[in-house]
């Protein structure tokens, strides 16, 4: 996600803005705008914040009210033109925005019809031109009216040359907090951006617009109903504030999953809920129809997500899918068929093995369609088409939200492929999309019931285990692989994963009463087979933790412990079971005193072979 900051008062506005931007993790460009006698002055830069600071040192700007932005690109590559703040045509109104505007194309086209010229490729720029359209002197009213026609998510900061004593902010989806000082006020995407100056804050709620003046605020909803928000005192220290109060980035990012899955879906589902819109990924319907085979290639967690993608695409879009680890693909002389589609999966978009695999496939004529989280990354730039995960920056080395948004991206891709190839009826697609829309709230439900997971992770027989198996079948074999990787990389417990049906072909020799065996067994077509595998483990005194569907009492007879997930459409269970697996790994690791966010020997992006 990007980050927004704002200030109004007697301090050095640019200093306050830049200090706030430094607290926002992960960005590709930044900028500030301040209101002064000359109008609205802005400075923007590409890359690190230090570049902005250097430009500000060379061309200082000042003013009593201002806004700032650290951009994590979602629409439009990272460059100065796409960096925020964005301006109206008269350069009198400036905005900073965090979020995704779902209907920005239709808004952009309508504004262009009215003669508006756009400068950037961003969805955000539509907002400033809409505000200008409704502006008649009252900035608060103009923002309120402009947002009534907008769909999507925003944390928005707005300033105007003609309203030098006002900062207007608004929130829908993306977080936004307002802080109060002595005859001054602050705004930020999260409290870490303003906690240096104030601990008395208001968290705006969805659909609210707030006019900030030095001596107080006015809050209304979009319909103009007044709201009296609660002022709370935040007593986090600086480090906790950076993690939104969580002890580690990993736990913060696990809890971001309901919202980031919504971001992955945002703007992708038709209003009637019957179809998917991936028309912007630069792969034509003809190319989809002509495709004889898909190759999915990735590393680590991204490879696990790609495996779920393989199961989904073959089952619902009926296209053969090959799955490869990038480090193997690039050296095994793969056969790349004409018109085949090659799908690299990468959170960072910089993984060396994945990059080399792309170059090999491209050299042999494949069409490259990437699933990636980082806009403007090497993978994105070297692909013909891209599906962005929209997960925002993932700071913790252990991938969590990147995994679930990658799997969600594969669900969207599967539906889109099936739509084009005619392998699903409209009713089947509608049913799948209905299940898809319930995912964020189901993930939230698991997050709100994590005490059993925490308790399990504290049991010495699990916390102090020397080794662990993770078992799963079909869609949930990749879940087992991901659960094993999470546990081993943050707690250093040796863990390996097998398909449930494979254990009897050798690994079962290792089953003793000291071996922890996590069995992923939600309700589904292969549930009975999985229970048989669990029985075989239990018969040899293995320590079984089952991940099962709420209401399944049957499985308790063969398990030492059971962690439950809400009922879930089987093809989407990998997204839901990932949550208890992530939390189990996290709590075992913290119980063992491990450095969860920076595990030994690991890097966030493996840019070397
Ligand atoms: C997973 O928790 C690890 N961080 C690692 O396996 C990671 O998924 C792998 O290195 C691939 O990274 P990428 O998605 O950025 O390409």
């Amino acid at each position: 996600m990007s980050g927004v900051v704002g200030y109004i008062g007697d301090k050095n506005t640019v200093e306050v803005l830049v200090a706030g931007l430094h607290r926002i993790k992960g960005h590709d460009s930044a900028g500030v705008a301040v209101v002064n006698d000359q109008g609205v002055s802005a400075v923007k830069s590409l890359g690190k914040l230090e570049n902005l600071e250097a430009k500000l040192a060379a061309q200082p700007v000042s003013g009593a009210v201002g806004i700032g932005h650290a951009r994590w690109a979602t629409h439009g590559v990272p460059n100065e033109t796409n960096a925020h703040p964005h301006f109206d045509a008269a350069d009198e109104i400036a905005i900073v925005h965090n979020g995704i505007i779902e209907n920005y194309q239709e808004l952009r086209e309508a504004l262009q019809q009215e003669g508006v010229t756009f400068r950037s490729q961003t969805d955000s720029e539509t907002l400033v031109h809409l505000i200008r359209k409704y502006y008649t002197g009252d900035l608060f009213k103009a923002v309120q009216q402009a947002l009534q026609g907008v769909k999507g998510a925003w944390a928005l900061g707005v300033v105007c040359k003609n309203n030098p004593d006002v900062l207007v902010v608004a929130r829908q989806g993306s977080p936004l907090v307002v802080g109060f000082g002595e005859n001054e006020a602050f705004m930020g995407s999260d409290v870490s951006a303003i906690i240096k100056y104030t601990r008395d804050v208001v968290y705006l709620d969805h659909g609210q617009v707030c006019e900030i003046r030095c001596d107080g605020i006015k809050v209304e909803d979009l319909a103009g109903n007044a709201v009296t928000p609660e002022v709370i005192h935040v007593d986090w220290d600086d480090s906790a504030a950076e993690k939104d109060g969580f002890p580690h980035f990993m736990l913060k990012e696990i809890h971001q999953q309901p919202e980031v899955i919504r971001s992955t879906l945002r703007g992708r589902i038709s209003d009637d809920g019957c179809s998917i819109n991936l028309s912007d990924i630069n792969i034509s319907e003809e190319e989809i129809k002509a495709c004889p085979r898909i190759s999915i290639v990735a590393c680590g967690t991204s490879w696990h997500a790609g495996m779920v993608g393989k199961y989904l695409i073959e089952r619902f879009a009926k296209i053969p899918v090959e799955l490869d680890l990038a480090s193997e693909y690039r050296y095994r002389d793969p056969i790349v068929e004409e018109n085949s589609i090659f799908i690299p999966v990468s959170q960072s978009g910089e993984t060396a093995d994945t990059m080399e695999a792309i170059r090999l496939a491209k050299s042999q004529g494949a069409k490259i369609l990437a699933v990636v989280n980082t806009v403007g990354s090497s993978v994105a730039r070297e692909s013909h088409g891209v599906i962005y995960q929209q997960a925002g920056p993932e700071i913790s080395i252990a991938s969590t939200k990147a995994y679930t948004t990658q799997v969600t991206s594969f669900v969207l891709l599967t539906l889109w492929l099936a739509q084009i190839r005619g392998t699903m009826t409209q009713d089947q697609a509608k049913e799948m999309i209905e299940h898809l829309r319930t995912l964020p709230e189901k993930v939230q439900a698991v997050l709100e019931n994590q005490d059993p997971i925490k308790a399990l992770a504290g049991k010495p027989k699990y916390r102090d285990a020397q080794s662990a198996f993770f078992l799963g079948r079909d869609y949930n074999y990749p879940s087992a692989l991901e659960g094993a990787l999470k546990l081993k990389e943050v707690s250093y417990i040796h863990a390996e994963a097998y398909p449930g049906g494979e254990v009897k072909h050798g690994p079962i020799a290792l089953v003793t009463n000291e071996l922890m065996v996590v069995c992923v067994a939600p309700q589904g077509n292969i549930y009975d087979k999985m229970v048989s595998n669990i029985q075989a483990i239990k018969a040899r005194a293995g320590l079984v933790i089952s991940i099962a569907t709420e209401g399944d009492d049957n499985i308790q007879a063969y398990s030492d412990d059971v962690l439950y997930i809400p009922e879930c459409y089987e093809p989407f269970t990998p997204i839901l079971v990932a949550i208890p697996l992530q939390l189990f790994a996290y709590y075992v690791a913290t119980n063992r005193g491990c450095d969860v966010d920076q595990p030994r020997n690991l890097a966030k992006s493996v840019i070397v072979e």
Side-chain angles (χ1 to χ4, degrees):
M1 261 80 83
S2 304
V4 297
V5 293
Y7 175 70
I8 185 165
D10 297 334
K11 286 183 172 61
N12 177 326
T13 299
V14 168
E15 207 172 87
V16 173
L17 297 177
V18 172
L21 292 178
H22 269 294
R23 306 310 308 270
I24 291 163
K25 288 281 182 185
H27 54 269
D28 49 56
S29 55
V32 294
V34 292
V35 178
N36 51 40
D37 300 342
Q38 290 76 45
V40 185
S41 308
V43 176
K44 305 199 275 191
S45 73
L46 193 54
K48 296 292 177 201
L49 218 41
E50 287 66 27
N51 301 346
L52 178 67
E53 291 177 294
K55 287 188 82 168
L56 285 163
Q59 46 180 101
V61 290
S62 63
V65 61
I67 50 179
H69 189 265
R71 184 170 184 245
W72 171 272
T74 55
H75 295 75
V77 294
N79 61 31
E80 283 199 16
T81 307
N82 290 333
H84 300 212
H86 289 292
F87 281 82
D88 69 319
D91 287 340
E92 292 179 347
I93 301 174
I95 65 137
V96 289
H97 168 239
N98 173 29
I100 294 172
I101 305 303
E102 281 183 46
N103 60 337
Y104 83 94
Q105 278 114 330
E106 64 187 83
L107 293 170
R108 188 183 179 106
E109 284 157 19
L111 287 161
Q112 286 169 326
Q113 293 292 329
E114 295 167 15
V116 173
T117 304
F118 279 76
R119 296 166 175 155
S120 79
Q121 304 161 296
T122 66
D123 55 335
S124 307
E125 190 186 345
T126 49
L127 297 175
V128 70
H129 297 305
L130 276 175
I131 294 166
R132 161 54 72 186
K133 177 177 175 178
Y134 292 102
Y135 180 74
T136 57
D138 182 329
L139 188 60
F140 176 81
K141 282 281 173 239
V143 171
Q144 202 170 38
Q145 287 174 297
L147 290 175
Q148 283 165 9
V150 178
K151 287 183 196 163
W154 55 82
L156 180 64
V158 190
V159 292
C160 175
K161 168 191 172 191
N162 309 319
N163 305 81
D165 51 355
V166 161
L167 165 61
V168 176
V169 298
R171 185 215 176 177
Q172 176 64 37
S174 308
L176 192 144
V177 60
V178 177
F180 305 95
E182 281 300 309
N183 203 32
E184 62 182 1
F186 307 82
M187 174 277 283
S189 288
D190 65 42
V191 78
S192 64
I194 61 175
I195 200 167
K196 178 181 176 185
Y197 303 103
T198 180
R199 292 178 175 274
D200 297 320
V201 301
V202 158
Y203 283 88
L204 279 197
D205 208 340
H206 300 293
Q208 293 183 348
V209 186
C210 175
E211 179 183 86
I212 303 173
R213 295 172 181 273
C214 285
D215 57 359
I217 66 170
K218 169 176 78 172
V219 182
E220 293 180 3
D221 63 19
L222 289 183
N225 304 306
V227 174
T228 308
E230 180 195 0
V231 179
I232 60 176
H233 183 81
V234 175
D235 53 10
W236 293 331
D237 64 27
D238 238 14
S239 163
E242 207 175 25
K243 304 178 187 80
D244 234 2
F246 290 100
H248 299 99
F249 282 107
M250 183 177 175
L251 193 58
K252 172 183 177 183
E253 288 156 7
I254 287 172
H255 283 81
Q256 285 179 331
Q257 290 177 109
E259 188 48 41
V260 296
I261 290 172
R262 286 191 190 92
S263 294
T264 308
L265 298 176
R266 201 158 274 134
R268 293 297 188 193
I269 297 174
S270 61
D271 289 343
D272 63 8
C274 292
S275 60
I276 295 300
N277 169 26
L278 286 183
S279 56
D280 61 338
I281 64 169
N282 197 26
I283 306 274
S284 71
E285 294 203 6
E286 292 64 35
E287 287 168 318
I288 296 297
K289 286 173 180 165
C291 171
R293 176 176 301 280
I294 287 175
S295 275
I296 298 176
V297 176
C299 304
T301 285
S302 298
W303 181 71
H304 303 153
M307 189 182 290
V308 180
K310 169 184 167 67
Y311 283 108
L312 290 167
I313 292 169
E314 290 193 335
R315 188 158 281 146
F316 294 102
K318 308 298 181 199
I319 303 174
V321 178
E322 269 183 4
L323 175 71
D324 271 282
L325 286 166
S327 55
E328 285 298 299
Y329 181 85
R330 51 187 296 208
Y331 294 111
R332 68 172 183 82
D333 296 329
I335 307 296
V336 178
E337 291 166 76
E338 194 179 357
N339 298 323
S340 63
I341 292 176
F342 179 93
I343 304 181
V345 187
S346 177
Q347 187 289 127
S348 64
E350 300 301 338
T351 301
D353 286 323
T354 307
M355 279 308 302
E356 290 308 320
I358 292 172
R359 290 172 183 137
L360 173 60
K362 211 172 181 181
S363 69
Q364 299 196 26
K367 191 82 176 174
I368 315 297
L369 169 58
V371 173
V372 68
N373 193 38
T374 310
V375 177
S377 59
S378 304
V379 167
R381 288 200 309 274
E382 298 211 15
S383 299
H384 298 108
V386 182
I387 299 175
Y388 284 115
Q389 300 166 222
Q390 308 296 5
E394 186 174 68
I395 308 301
S396 181
I397 284 186
S399 272
T400 52
K401 63 176 183 173
Y403 175 70
T404 49
T405 53
Q406 283 167 349
V407 176
T408 305
S409 300
F410 273 111
V411 172
L412 292 172
L413 177 60
T414 301
L415 280 158
W416 186 68
L417 295 172
Q419 205 168 279
I420 292 168
R421 307 250 310 196
T423 53
M424 284 175 79
T425 65
Q426 193 172 66
D427 286 348
Q428 287 170 324
K430 193 173 172 65
E431 183 205 0
M432 189 180 268
I433 290 169
E434 280 165 8
H435 287 298
L436 190 54
R437 281 180 155 151
T438 66
L439 269 180
E441 66 203 55
K442 289 180 184 286
V443 169
Q444 188 59 40
V446 178
L447 291 171
E448 287 168 3
N449 181 35
Q450 55 185 278
D451 289 349
I453 305 167
K454 213 168 179 175
L456 227 50
K459 287 187 177 180
K461 62 182 177 178
Y462 302 136
R463 182 200 61 212
D464 302 334
Q466 295 302 307
S467 188
F469 277 4
F470 284 71
L471 308 181
R473 295 179 76 124
D474 199 281
Y475 295 112
N476 287 300
Y477 169 42
S479 300
L481 286 164
E482 179 57 13
L485 178 61
K486 279 300 91 52
L487 184 69
K488 80 177 86 168
E489 67 178 339
V490 294
S491 75
Y492 311 143
I493 293 175
H494 171 256
E496 49 191 322
Y498 292 98
E502 185 58 19
V503 175
K504 57 185 175 294
H505 298 287
I508 202 161
L510 292 181
V511 176
T512 69
N513 63 1
E514 293 180 345
L515 181 71
M516 168 165 64
V517 185
V518 180
C519 301
V520 183
Q523 287 300 324
N525 292 331
I526 42 83
Y527 171 78
D528 293 340
K529 299 288 181 200
M530 196 57 210
V531 169
S532 306
N533 300 144
I534 295 171
Q535 287 169 327
I537 299 292
K538 206 60 215 136
R540 291 160 180 81
L543 292 172
V544 173
I545 300 174
S546 292
I547 315 279
T549 305
E550 280 166 5
D552 176 1
D553 300 329
N554 162 54
I555 205 158
Q556 294 190 16
Y558 321 108
S559 309
D560 294 82
D561 290 281
V562 183
L563 294 175
Y564 285 103
I565 61 167
E567 210 164 327
C568 179
Y569 180 59
E570 187 183 4
F572 299 166
T573 49
I575 294 170
L576 218 45
V577 303
I579 311 308
L581 293 174
Q582 292 164 356
L583 290 167
F584 182 70
Y586 172 80
Y587 287 118
V588 168
T590 47
N591 289 336
R592 290 164 66 97
C594 297
D595 180 353
V596 171
D597 282 336
Q598 294 281 346
R600 67 188 180 206
N601 310 334
L602 297 183
K604 184 57 187 169
S605 177
V606 184
I607 55 177
V608 294
E609 293 206 20

